[in-house]
Amino acid sequence: MKTGYTLLFILMIIGSSFAQRTDKKEAPMSGTNGIVYSLPRTGLRIYVKTTQEKFFHGPYYQYAEALLGIKNAPSSDRENWSIDDIRIETFSEPDPAQIHTANGTAAVLVSLTPAGVLAGINAPVVVQDEEANSVSTFLANTNIPEIPFPDLSLNSFFEKRDSTRKGTLMIKPVEEKAMEAASTVTKLRKRRFKSLANGYEEQLPDGRAYEVMTEELGKLEEAYVGLFTGKSFRQTLEYSFDYIPGNNSVSGEVIFRFSEGKGVMPASDLSAKPIVIDIKKLENMAEAQAKQASEPPSVAGVLYRIPGKAEIRILNGINTMASTRLGIAQFGTTAFVPDVLLDGSYSLTFHTGTGSIKSIQKTNQGK
């Protein structure tokens, strides 16, 4: 009986141990898969500066020659746009195609930007203020007034009442209003001439007062002549467009569209002429440099970029509007940081805009 109890006790201990081992196998393994980081890619930001000129014909244009001697006064409204300047700049962002993991000692030493881009190894990160993205809007502008001629005359628009038209208002004919405006122009010219000729008995107190008076008379005359010749409004508008190149050359990619009558339009608006970008990937030594720079590491290492170069043109049809050569990170290649630099004896910093190595320094611990 005693032997049976002993055997039963031994079997219970074995079963308990087996159950514990089974539970351990089902429990999740603790540990880490390394530190995830990304390499940057280069984007292009195209700035476009334009001028809009909107012309409104004068309400009395048909009387310009008869009353003021001005021939061929414009009889219709028009709007003209022109591109004054195009500027190309670069910006960087994490490349979704270049996300990697640092393991081992390197995982402890890597430094990242707030966006997760590799910034250094065994080196502190200097965080710079991020540049705000430019935003382009295609909403109607508000600098040009809806009513271009708010003051059509110094005189009333209605004729004087008489005993036969009590209680009614009679609007003056356009011809009469035009004659009043022409008469005002003549009076302003006479007063300005009299001021210039010093023809007033009472003199102005100083030269500045004289200058202000002649300027104001000139502005009034210009405003009234505009009732016959029309009025122009001009303003400068700026836009920006972001474009992210792939890994190879591109040709004829539409950035935006432009119309001399409507101005800058989105790329989706087929009513305007396309403004396209050509990017030619230049031959460089990036791949050869990468092969010589580092061999595959013995353990999972850290990758960095060797950027490439590109020739970039902005075209309006066959006309080149802007041209430049810029570094494009994704046009180059990647290479491993040598294992010897990842043991904590060296401090590495990277250009966070291109992903290339900026500096390598031996630390005090490595001496």
Side-chain angles (χ1 to χ4, degrees), residues 13-36:
I13 293 175
I14 294 172
S16 176
S17 301
F18 180 78
Q20 288 178 3
R21 285 198 298 270
T22 304
D23 290 342
K24 286 182 179 179
K25 286 183 179 178
E26 293 178 353
M29 296 294 291
S30 62
T32 178
N33 293 324
I35 299 299
V36 177

Side-chain angles (χ1 to χ4, degrees), residues 306-326:
I306 301 177
K309 285 279 187 180
E311 183 180 89
I312 303 167
R313 294 190 302 160
I314 306 295
L315 301 169
N316 181 2
I318 61 173
N319 299 320
T320 300
M321 306 181 72
S323 177
T324 187
R325 291 165 62 105
L326 294 171

Side-chain angles (χ1 to χ4, degrees), residues 65-173:
E65 184 173 2
L67 298 177
L68 295 178
I70 300 174
K71 297 182 178 181
N72 302 319
S75 58
S76 60
D77 298 343
R78 63 178 181 269
E79 183 175 351
N80 293 318
W81 287 76
S82 62
I83 296 178
D84 302 325
D85 185 40
I86 291 183
R87 193 172 76 256
I88 305 173
E89 295 182 0
T90 59
F91 65 93
S92 66
E93 65 180 24
D95 190 342
Q98 290 290 337
I99 298 177
H100 307 282
T101 304
N103 295 308
T105 305
V108 181
L109 299 177
V110 295
S111 301
L112 307 179
T113 68
V117 174
L118 181 65
I121 298 176
N122 197 25
V125 178
V126 179
V127 179
Q128 297 180 349
D129 294 334
E130 295 184 2
E131 179 185 357
N133 289 343
S134 300
V135 179
S136 295
T137 59
F138 301 93
L139 303 176
N141 61 78
T142 57
N143 294 337
I144 296 177
E146 295 183 3
I147 303 176
F149 303 98
D151 300 320
L152 296 178
S153 177
L154 292 174
N155 303 289
S156 172
F157 285 86
F158 303 100
E159 294 182 351
K160 294 180 179 180
R161 298 179 183 179
D162 56 29
S163 58
T164 62
R165 294 184 295 178
K166 290 184 178 180
T168 61
L169 293 175
M170 299 296 295
I171 299 176
K172 293 179 181 178

Side-chain angles (χ1 to χ4, degrees), residues 39-65:
L39 299 179
R41 67 179 179 181
T42 303
L44 302 176
R45 184 160 292 150
I46 297 98
Y47 292 95
V48 184
K49 184 179 180 181
T50 65
T51 295
Q52 178 196 26
E53 183 176 3
K54 199 163 186 178
F55 175 82
F56 297 91
H57 73 282
Y60 308 144
Y61 73 92
Q62 66 268 45
Y63 307 105
E65 184 173 2

Side-chain angles (χ1 to χ4, degrees), residues 226-258:
L227 296 172
F228 298 88
T229 60
K231 186 182 292 186
S232 291
F233 295 88
R234 181 188 295 261
Q235 64 177 349
T236 298
L237 299 173
E238 295 186 2
Y239 303 84
S240 70
F241 302 91
D242 289 355
Y243 179 78
I244 309 293
N247 297 332
N248 297 300
S249 302
V250 296
S251 178
E253 290 281 347
V254 179
I255 300 298
F256 64 95
R257 293 178 181 268
F258 181 75

